[in-house]
Amino acid sequence: MVDTQAASASTENSGEAHARASMVWDAWGSPAGHKPLSEQIRGLLTQVFGVSGEPATRRDEGDVPLRASALTPDQHAGLVAVVGAENLSIDHRDRLLRAGGKSTPDLLRRRAEGEQDAPDAVAFPADHDEVLAVLKYCAANAIAVVPFGGGTSVVGGLDPARGEFPAVIALDLRRLDTLTDVDPVSGTATLGAGLTGPQAEELLARHGLSLGHFPQSFEYATIGGFAATRSSGQASAGYGRFDDMIQRFRIATPAGDLDLGRAPASAAGPDLRELFSGSEGTLGIITEVTLRVHPVPETTGYQAWSFPDFATGAAALRAVIQAGAAPTVMRLSDEAETGLNLARAGDIGGAAVGGCLAVTTFEGTAAHVAARSTEAAALLAATGGTALGEGPAREWEHGRFAAPYLRDALLDVGVLCETLETATTWSNLDNLKAKVTAALVDALGLPALVMCHISHTYPTGASLYFTVVAKQAQDPIAGWAVAKKAAGDAIVAAGGTITHHHAIGADHRPWMTDEIGDLGVQVLRAVKNAVDPTGILNPGKLIP
């Protein structure tokens, strides 16, 4: 093992110093990432959706009224005694920035007039012991706790719901930002739950290592958030989902500590790591994760492909994954997404690609990349693919974190843009895609545009990721709620999972019983009662 001396991603951990770059309060990401729509695109939106194309004026965060903090003076003093006065905030901006996640309904609510709900305070614990102490204090004093990492949830997982409690705090884990151990022999590293994706990669790179987990939320989401939602990165074909990487958990619960994972595999009963992976802060707070890591790739190869239609492209991806020749990244966009070039750089316009665009990348040693890319290319060509060269694949990689900014720009001009995802077996893929697309179009009406891509592949099936663009209804939140219910019902009826990597949160909770059955719900409630008997952890999420 390597002595990391608890290498930290931050230089200081108190007061304003625990303010790493946060996302803006009413949109995705940083102001630098926001770009106005071109005149050409505004004209297209006017033609298709009848909107003016002129962005609406947005409020300054200081002008947004918040629900008054419900913490009593005694409760405030009690929490200060645990984390220190400089690490408990009732500041307007701190509360507003933790008022929820970044789904389209979240952002529409932010932009609406009137009072906004927000946590009553934000606590910034320093380490596992302080997290545990905060939970014990809140359990004893009827305060709900919502864990907060990067704020990227798109399923209502961060809503400051109070449940039966008079007050709720956001437990911001950003100070848990250390790399505490590296074992290069075993290929593992132990990381604090508050590290963002870029921070984790920077710390690991000092040891020549990488996690290789790059979801679209990578720039802001955290190690703890990845684990708590069963995140799946864009390179999952090569490195696996985040839950595949987990070797060990350290978890704080109101009932005490859990330290799970003594070996890569064990026959010592059910694996409790599986129980807490995907638990979304409802069963405990993940404070530390030991993960499988790999050497920083020596080189990356790129290759894009065109297929005449989605079914042909899906069959080609299936051939590759079932042959064991999977690239590091492998995705396929349908005709609609390819035609608008959303498959390439998270934007509209640019050079057209006919049919359906597939993107592949290969990482590793030069010899590995050459061998794997040659094998995959032969399979893709044999199943109907036409090679397009490196360009579209490199363009996709360059813009792969940018798509949410386009959504914000569309919302600004009165156009709804939202995503949802599911997964199923290869034999059911076409049926599921058709049923969800029809449900969304029926609910939203024309000229709604529904686009789809295969984002992750497995030997037995794949995920489908839908992007929906439509004119905003007079009440856009209610309008999307109707479409979301129609899509969720269609997913369940067609045999898909209600979520592949976005998690359950509050938004998918109505379908959780369909997912795991009545007895499965009872099992989750029993576990909840054991680790969180007073029910303070993230009320209203995950468990029906």
Side-chain angles (χ1 to χ4, degrees):
M1 296 188 184
V2 174
D3 181 6
T4 63
Q5 297 182 343
S8 171
S10 64
T11 56
E12 198 175 343
N13 282 326
S14 62
E16 285 299 312
H18 44 58
R20 66 169 176 240
S22 296
M23 289 193 284
V24 293
W25 71 280
D26 62 345
W28 181 268
S30 69
H34 291 265
K35 300 175 183 177
L37 296 170
S38 68
E39 184 176 340
Q40 177 186 7
I41 299 307
R42 292 201 306 271
L44 178 63
L45 295 173
T46 299
Q47 180 182 352
V48 175
F49 297 115
V51 299
S52 70
E54 293 300 320
T57 301
R58 284 162 42 188
R59 288 180 295 173
D60 183 87
E61 64 184 47
D63 296 332
V64 180
L66 296 183
R67 174 175 173 166
S69 175
L71 277 189
T72 68
D74 285 347
Q75 289 172 332
H76 188 278
L79 289 167
V80 164
V82 176
V83 297
E86 70 277 17
N87 295 310
L88 184 73
S89 175
I90 56 171
D91 176 75
H92 179 278
R93 185 168 192 271
D94 282 339
R95 295 177 62 211
L96 179 62
L97 288 176
R98 293 160 185 84
K102 296 296 182 180
S103 69
T104 291
D106 287 332
L107 301 185
L108 290 170
R109 281 190 288 268
R110 300 285 191 292
R111 298 170 186 211
E113 295 296 325
E115 185 178 83
Q116 299 276 325
D117 199 4
D120 297 304
V122 183
F124 299 90
D127 52 29
H128 176 90
D129 290 342
E130 283 196 1
V131 172
L132 183 63
V134 168
L135 296 186
K136 288 184 176 297
Y137 180 85
C138 289
N141 290 273
I143 302 171
V145 178
V146 178
F148 196 95
T152 63
S153 172
V154 292
V155 292
L158 300 176
D159 291 353
R162 291 160 174 78
E164 63 188 34
F165 305 100
V168 58
I169 66 167
L171 191 69
D172 192 304
L173 300 170
R174 65 183 54 201
R175 294 176 68 197
L176 280 67
D177 64 351
T178 56
L179 170 64
T180 56
D181 182 72
V182 175
D183 182 349
V185 175
S186 304
T188 64
T190 301
L191 297 160
L195 285 165
T196 64
Q199 289 174 331
E201 288 295 329
E202 178 186 352
L203 292 175
L204 289 169
R206 298 174 191 175
H207 300 273
L209 298 170
S210 172
L211 183 58
H213 188 70
F214 301 109
Q216 195 168 72
S217 61
F218 166 76
E219 295 171 303
Y220 296 94
T222 60
I223 294 295
F226 294 150
T229 59
R230 287 189 182 271
S231 175
S232 191
Q234 294 165 343
S236 67
Y239 300 124
R241 294 166 57 93
F242 198 82
D243 45 312
D244 297 328
M245 304 174 187
I246 294 169
Q247 305 295 302
R248 174 183 159 269
F249 270 141
R250 193 173 187 201
I251 300 165
T253 82
D257 285 322
L258 285 165
D259 196 334
L260 305 173
R262 300 176 63 87
S266 170
D271 190 343
L272 295 185
R273 290 174 298 183
E274 285 291 310
L275 187 60
F276 285 88
S277 179
S279 59
E280 301 184 38
T282 62
L283 304 179
I285 307 297
I286 298 165
T287 61
E288 189 175 81
V289 190
T290 299
L291 296 158
R292 184 185 71 229
V293 294
H294 59 268
V296 173
E298 179 182 303
T299 189
T300 302
Y302 301 86
Q303 183 65 60
W305 296 82
S306 176
F307 291 90
D309 53 62
F310 190 76
T312 301
L317 267 58
R318 176 172 60 84
V320 170
I321 195 78
Q322 290 182 343
T328 308
V329 172
M330 185 166 64
R331 357 178 353 114
L332 172 74
S333 293
D334 71 2
E335 294 87 345
E337 188 173 276
T338 300
L340 282 181
N341 292 298
L342 288 180
R344 298 170 67 183
D347 205 349
I348 300 173
V353 172
C356 294
L357 175 66
V359 168
T360 63
T361 72
F362 305 82
E363 293 183 359
T365 65
H368 174 85
V369 168
R372 183 56 61 88
S373 60
T374 298
E375 182 180 9
L379 287 164
L380 292 170
T383 47
T386 300
L388 300 177
E390 295 186 355
R394 286 185 178 273
E395 187 179 350
W396 167 82
E397 185 180 72
H398 177 73
R400 61 179 168 168
F401 303 132
Y405 291 108
L406 174 61
R407 177 194 60 171
D408 293 338
L410 292 172
L411 290 179
D412 286 344
V413 299
V415 175
L416 177 88
C417 183
E418 183 58 305
T419 63
L420 56 91
E421 37 74 64
T422 180
T424 190
T425 58
W426 287 111
S427 61
N428 190 44
L429 201 69
D430 286 345
N431 173 59
L432 180 61
K433 182 177 185 293
K435 293 294 176 56
V436 175
T437 300
L440 287 166
V441 171
D442 288 347
L444 292 167
L446 294 173
L449 178 62
V450 180
M451 297 163 281
C452 183
H453 66 259
I454 292 176
S455 59
H456 304 83
T457 54
Y458 307 91
T460 58
S463 67
L464 293 172
Y465 191 99
F466 295 87
T467 300
V468 184
V469 181
K471 183 178 179 180
Q472 289 183 26
Q474 186 170 3
D475 183 343
I477 296 176
W480 174 248
V482 171
K484 176 72 171 180
K485 183 179 186 307
D489 290 346
I491 286 171
V492 170
T497 178
I498 195 61
T499 177
H500 171 262
H501 58 269
H502 281 173
I504 294 295
D507 295 358
H508 290 149
R509 190 171 171 235
W511 295 279
M512 192 59 176
T513 302
D514 294 301
E515 188 82 17
I516 64 174
D518 291 329
L519 183 58
V521 171
Q522 291 179 44
V523 170
L524 284 182
R525 289 176 179 169
V527 175
K528 172 82 167 174
N529 187 58
V531 294
D532 180 25
T534 58
I536 62 165
L537 288 174
N538 215 3
K541 320 301 180 352
L542 181 65
I543 306 171

